[in-house]
Amino acid sequence: MTAIADRLHQLRLQLQKASYAYYVLDNPIMEDAVYDQLYRQLQDLEAVYPDLITPDSPTQRVGEKPAQEFPSVQHQIPLYSLENAFNLDELRQWQARWQRLAPDATAHYVCELKIDGSAIALTYEQGLLIRGVTRGDGQTGEDITPNIRTIRSIPLRLALDNPPPRLEIRGEVFLPLTEFSRLNREREINGDPPFANPRNAAAGTLRQLDARIVSQRRLQFFAYTLHCPDGEPSITHQWQALAYLSQSGFLVNPHTELCPDLQRVADYYADWQGARQRLEYLTDGVVVKINAYSLQASLGFTQKFPRWAIALKYPAEEAPTVVRAIEVNVGRTGAVTPLAIMEPVQLAGTTVQRATLHNQDRIRDLDIRVGDTVIIRKAGEIIPEVVRVMTELRPSGTTPFQMPQHCPACGSPLVRPVAEAVTRCINSSCPAILQGSIIHWASRNALDIQGLGEKVVMALLENQLIASIADLYTLQVDPLLSLDRFAQKSAEKLINAIQASQQQPWARVLFGLGIRHVGQVNAKLLAQQFPTVEQLSQAKVSALAGVYGIGAEIAQSVYDWFRNPANQHLISELQRLGFNLSQAESGESPPRHVHPLAGKTLVLTGTLPNLKRQQAQALIEQVGGKVTGSVSKKTDYVVAGEAAGSKLEKAEKLKIPLLSEAELLAMLGEY
Ligand code: IVH
C-alpha cells in the first residue's frame, strides 16, 4: 500500500511540475503525450484506490457534479477597492495626501497593471487550496471553489517546502482575448447571446454552476496580494510578496515595476498606455502601491479604500449620452435583444448611436429609461454597452422599460424559459426570424444553395415571392425576372441550385432547420442516431439526451422545436415536396457508399476550434473510424488543432496526412 501511495505521490508531483511549467512558466518540460500517459496512470490508480485520492491531485481539477448554488462566505479580511486617479495631477495629490499623514516617510512604489477581470480570494491551509471566493461586495462573497479548481494557473498545492498554516491570496481572474473571441464565436454558432466583454465573460463563467463548463473556458489568474494572518515575518514589502507568490507557483503579471519615485511611476503609466493594446488581456489602468508593509500599516484605510494604493486609470472608452428610445431587435434564432438608441456620441474614435442592453435582467438591473443620461462604453472591437444610468439626472415622469410581451416583428407571444436570460420569439414564420432562417438554410454548411445569399433572400421576401423555406421549392423562373438582379440565365441557375438542394442528406437538412444548439456537429450526431425525421420528432428528451455528445439543453431544444405547430407544418411541407428526411438511401438501391473514414485510424491532438475531443471521436466512430491515443505507422490521419505538440511532430516525421477540423468535418460530411 505504501508503495502505491508513493507512486501516486510521485505521479502527482511530476504532473504538477509539468502543469506549472506549461501554464505558468509557458515553458513545457514534458511532451503532451507523456503528460497524457502519466495523467492516465494516475487516473487508473486512483480509480482502483479511491481512498488515496487527495484534493490536490491534478485529476481533481474538474468537478464531477454541478453545484446547486454557491454558499455565501464572509471574508475574514475585507476586499477593499481602490480609489481612482484619472491623471498625473490626481496622482500627485494622492501622494501629497498620504505624505501629510506620514511626513517623515519616503516610499518606493510598486506599479502593477490593473487587470480588467474579477477579483477573488483564495485560502490555502498547510499549502492546500481549500477555498476560492468571489469578491462580492467586499465583505461577503460566494464560495466558488469547484470552479476555481479548474483554473490551471492556480496551484492546488503551493510549491513551498514549508507552507505557512494559512495563507490568503488575492488576484484577478480574467479571460484572455483570444479565448474571449473563441467563446463568443462558439456562442454564436449555438445561438447563444455573446458576452459583451471579457470581464463579464470571466465573471459569468466564475458563477457557472457546472465546473466542467468553467474548465473549458480557460480562465487565467494573476496573483497580486498576499495575506498571511499568522504573519510571515520574512515578507515585509509588496515587491517581495510578488516574488513569493511567484515562487509559490502562481502566475504573477510579469510587467510589474519597482519605482523609486512618482516620476518613474508616470513613465511606467505612459509606457503602458500604448503597450497595453498589444497585451493578450484587457487592462484599464495601473495600480500604484506603496512598497513597504510598515508604511502601508501606518497609513491604513479609509471607509472604502487603502490610503497606500491608488488606481491610475487610462482614459476610459466611456462617454455620457441620452437615451432617445429603447428598441428590441429579433435575431435569426429568435433571440430578442433590447437596444438603446441614443444621442450620437464620440467614443473611442467612432460615432456611436446604439448600445446593446443584452437582456431583460440587464435592463432591470440598470433600470434604464427613455430620457435617462447613461454612460456607455466600448472596449476594443466590442459593441458599445450601457455601463451605468445616471439616475441623479433622470427627468421627471419617466417609467421603467417593459420588455414587450409580443414579438415586434410578428406579434406572437414572446417566451422566456425559466433560468434563461434571453427572451425569444419562437414563431418560425416570424418575418425577422424567417429572413435569418432562410439565409441559414441556404448557407454553405446547410443546404448549400449557391446564389441564395442575404440580398437575394431579402429581395424574395420583400417582393413576396416566398413566405417560407418551403416556398423556395415552388419558385419559378419567370417571377424572378421581375427582380432587378436576375436575367434568364441567372434565374435558371438559382432555380436549379434550389431544386438540387433537395438531394442533400438528412444531417444537412437537420442543421439547416436552425434548431437552437443544433450546430453541424450535433446535427450529424442526431441524424445518425435518429435516421428518420419521424424517429427524431417522436424521440423523448431522455432518448435525445442519451445520444453521446448531446447534452440536456440540446435535447430539450430539439424536443421543443418539434412540438411547435409551425415547425411541424414546415416538416410536412418538406416531405410533400419530396425531401428525403432520412438517413436511408433513396431510390432504387443505388450503390451504398463506404465512408472514406471507415476502417481508418485517426489520432486527435491539440485543441480544435469547435469540436470537443469527445464529439470528434463520436463522429469518427459513427462512420466506422477508430480513434487512438498515439501516432504510429498504422495511423491513417492525424487531426491537429491549436497547440498540438509531440503527436503532430511525430505525424510529420512519419509523413502521416494531417487534417484540420474543417477538413475532418468535410470528410465526415461525405456520406
Ligand atoms: S489591489 C486593497 N492590484 O481592481 C488592494 N487590484 O479597483 C485592492 N485589480 O477589486 C486591490 N489589477 O479587482 C489590485 N494589480 C492589481 C489589480 C487590481 C486589477 C482590480 C481588483 C480590485 C479593483 C479595484
Side-chain angles (χ1 to χ4, degrees):
M1 206 61 178
T2 35
I4 288 159
D6 274 355
R7 176 73 190 140
L8 282 168
H9 178 68
Q10 280 308 324
L11 282 170
R12 283 175 198 141
L13 215 61
Q14 288 192 41
L15 289 167
Q16 272 155 11
K17 277 192 189 146
S19 182
Y20 174 71
Y22 186 91
Y23 289 105
V24 178
L25 303 179
D26 202 15
N27 185 14
I29 52 168
M30 194 181 276
E31 306 186 281
D32 292 3
V34 178
Y35 185 93
D36 290 349
Q37 266 181 22
L38 292 179
Y39 187 90
R40 209 157 300 152
Q41 277 181 24
L42 178 61
Q43 255 182 336
D44 292 349
L45 266 182
E46 286 182 343
V48 184
Y49 302 100
D51 290 350
L52 298 181
I53 298 179
T54 55
D56 66 326
S57 174
T59 57
Q60 304 303 300
R61 282 220 185 254
V62 182
E64 278 302 304
K65 282 209 190 73
Q68 284 311 302
E69 58 182 21
F70 302 113
S72 67
V73 182
Q74 178 102 26
H75 293 296
Q76 299 210 330
I77 314 162
L79 273 84
Y80 284 88
S81 67
L82 292 169
E83 186 184 349
N84 288 327
F86 292 96
N87 51 51
L88 295 176
D89 244 5
E90 291 181 6
L91 181 71
R92 281 184 213 105
Q93 288 166 20
W94 166 72
Q95 173 171 267
R97 265 200 318 274
W98 76 251
Q99 282 178 337
R100 273 200 293 280
L101 295 171
D104 303 325
T106 51
H108 284 192
Y109 296 112
V110 175
C111 283
E112 298 167 18
L113 292 176
K114 189 168 187 297
I115 313 298
D116 200 7
S118 250
I120 56 161
L122 304 171
T123 307
Y124 286 81
E125 280 179 8
Q126 317 297 348
L128 270 189
L129 173 66
I130 60 152
R131 194 157 54 230
V133 182
T134 59
R135 175 174 187 275
D137 62 4
Q139 301 291 335
T140 318
E142 284 177 305
D143 183 337
I144 50 162
T145 313
N147 291 349
I148 294 296
R149 298 176 72 85
T150 68
I151 302 175
R152 301 300 202 279
S153 37
I154 294 180
L156 301 179
R157 175 190 284 280
L158 299 176
L160 296 172
D161 287 340
N162 275 316
R166 196 183 154 90
L167 267 188
E168 196 169 307
I169 278 129
R170 280 130 187 229
E172 205 80 357
V173 171
F174 64 97
L175 200 62
L177 291 173
T178 46
E179 267 305 300
F180 171 69
S181 347
R182 190 190 60 82
L183 177 60
N184 267 356
R185 261 199 321 273
E186 193 178 283
R187 289 177 73 82
E188 202 178 321
I189 292 171
N190 290 335
D192 296 327
F195 285 114
N197 56 46
R199 184 171 32 82
N200 286 1
T205 301
L206 279 181
R207 300 187 68 259
Q208 260 287 335
L209 287 175
D210 189 343
R212 287 166 298 188
I213 295 178
V214 183
S215 175
Q216 289 158 14
R217 299 223 181 134
R218 290 169 239 169
L219 292 169
Q220 290 259 41
F221 177 75
F222 281 134
Y224 49 67
T225 300
L226 175 69
H227 284 296
C228 190
D230 312 312
E232 169 60 66
S234 62
I235 305 227
T236 55
H237 289 78
Q238 170 67 4
W239 190 246
Q240 258 182 323
L242 292 176
Y244 183 85
L245 287 170
S246 181
Q247 281 156 23
S248 310
F250 287 97
L251 188 60
V252 172
N253 187 283
H255 311 299
T256 50
E257 203 169 303
L258 180 59
C259 302
D261 52 36
L262 222 51
Q263 183 49 49
R264 196 50 221 127
V265 173
D267 292 345
Y268 177 92
Y269 176 69
D271 289 348
W272 281 101
Q273 177 144 22
R276 72 192 186 106
Q277 314 287 349
R278 292 185 287 280
L279 292 171
E280 246 295 273
Y281 40 85
L282 292 183
T283 57
D284 56 351
V286 169
V287 181
V288 185
K289 299 175 182 170
I290 288 180
N291 191 22
Y293 282 177
S294 54
L295 183 51
Q296 288 189 3
S298 64
L299 291 172
F301 294 82
T302 67
Q303 280 290 313
K304 274 162 81 192
F305 313 120
R307 293 199 182 86
W308 44 265
I310 193 157
L312 180 55
K313 303 283 284 266
Y314 287 114
E317 287 157 339
E318 289 185 357
T321 179
V322 175
V323 179
R324 286 279 160 253
I326 298 175
E327 288 183 355
V328 293
N329 179 47
V330 186
R332 165 176 91 73
T333 59
V336 176
T337 319
L339 292 172
I341 312 296
M342 304 159 309
E343 285 292 306
V345 61
Q346 280 292 113
L347 188 66
T350 55
T351 308
V352 172
Q353 201 166 0
R354 290 157 171 269
T356 175
L357 295 170
H358 302 294
N359 53 48
Q360 197 164 8
D361 292 344
R362 180 81 183 135
I363 291 191
R364 195 199 48 222
D365 293 348
L366 285 169
D367 183 23
I368 184 172
R369 304 178 183 191
V370 173
D372 270 340
T373 300
V374 293
I375 305 294
I376 56 166
R377 157 190 169 124
K378 197 160 126 184
E381 297 294 305
I382 305 152
I383 30 167
E385 60 165 346
V386 173
V387 212
R388 193 158 67 85
V389 177
M390 303 183 70
T391 37
E392 59 276 26
L393 300 181
R394 173 171 288 165
S396 58
T398 60
T399 47
F401 175 76
Q402 296 292 336
M403 276 289 264
Q405 306 279 315
H406 294 90
C407 172
C410 72
S412 57
L414 294 175
V415 180
R416 180 177 169 185
V418 194
E420 268 195 43
V422 187
T423 307
R424 285 173 196 279
C425 174
I426 54 164
N427 167 16
S428 62
S429 34
C430 166
I433 300 180
L434 184 62
Q435 181 178 329
S437 323
I438 297 177
I439 294 167
H440 174 71
W441 173 265
S443 67
R444 199 161 54 94
N445 295 323
L447 279 284
D448 193 17
I449 306 174
Q450 305 237 332
L452 192 58
E454 191 174 333
K455 296 224 169 77
V456 176
V457 172
M458 270 170 74
L460 294 176
L461 285 168
E462 272 167 20
N463 290 280
Q464 293 171 9
L465 295 184
I466 57 169
S468 72
I469 287 178
D471 288 351
L472 288 171
Y473 295 89
T474 49
L475 204 57
Q476 306 280 324
V477 172
D478 277 351
L480 283 185
L481 298 176
S482 66
L483 306 182
D484 279 351
R485 56 181 64 245
F486 286 104
Q488 182 72 25
K489 254 227 169 99
S490 51
E492 279 171 9
K493 213 167 148 199
L494 178 62
I495 299 299
N496 288 339
I498 291 173
Q499 293 304 328
S501 73
Q502 292 204 12
Q503 303 310 314
Q504 292 284 20
W506 167 219
R508 272 180 177 264
V509 177
L510 183 53
F511 171 59
L513 292 173
I515 303 173
R516 240 182 106 212
H517 301 308
V518 181
Q520 259 177 289
V521 176
N522 291 333
K524 284 198 176 114
L525 291 171
L526 287 167
Q528 285 282 342
Q529 211 60 35
F530 301 96
T532 69
V533 71
E534 285 78 14
Q535 285 169 300
L536 183 64
S537 64
Q538 283 154 27
K540 297 210 172 73
V541 177
S542 56
L544 292 162
V547 178
Y548 193 55
I550 300 290
E553 201 180 358
I554 308 169
Q556 188 66 48
S557 165
V558 174
Y559 181 86
D560 291 346
W561 194 92
F562 281 106
R563 301 283 123 12
N564 181 316
N567 297 334
Q568 289 166 355
H569 179 71
L570 172 63
I571 294 292
S572 62
E573 284 284 278
L574 292 176
Q575 282 174 319
R576 192 179 54 78
L577 287 162
F579 265 84
N580 177 23
L581 304 179
S582 72
Q583 194 85 306
E585 302 285 349
S586 57
E588 298 142 21
S589 62
R592 275 193 82 83
H593 289 310
V594 176
H595 193 279
L597 290 178
K600 301 284 192 237
T601 303
L602 287 84
V603 172
L604 305 170
T605 179
T607 313
L608 302 178
N610 301 301
L611 287 179
K612 296 191 193 81
R613 214 165 256 241
Q614 268 188 359
Q615 291 179 311
Q617 177 161 357
L619 288 169
I620 293 165
E621 287 171 357
Q622 277 179 357
V623 299
K626 197 165 83 178
V627 175
T628 63
S630 59
V631 179
S632 74
K633 270 191 244 153
K634 290 192 195 132
T635 311
D636 293 295
Y637 296 100
V638 169
V639 184
E642 208 180 306
S646 58
K647 289 180 194 169
L648 176 59
E649 278 171 30
K650 190 148 181 208
E652 281 166 347
K653 214 178 287 164
L654 295 175
K655 303 213 162 44
I656 290 163
L658 297 178
L659 296 176
S660 65
E661 180 190 79
E663 287 165 334
L664 172 69
L665 284 173
M667 283 180 90
L668 287 166
E670 289 174 26
Y671 57 84

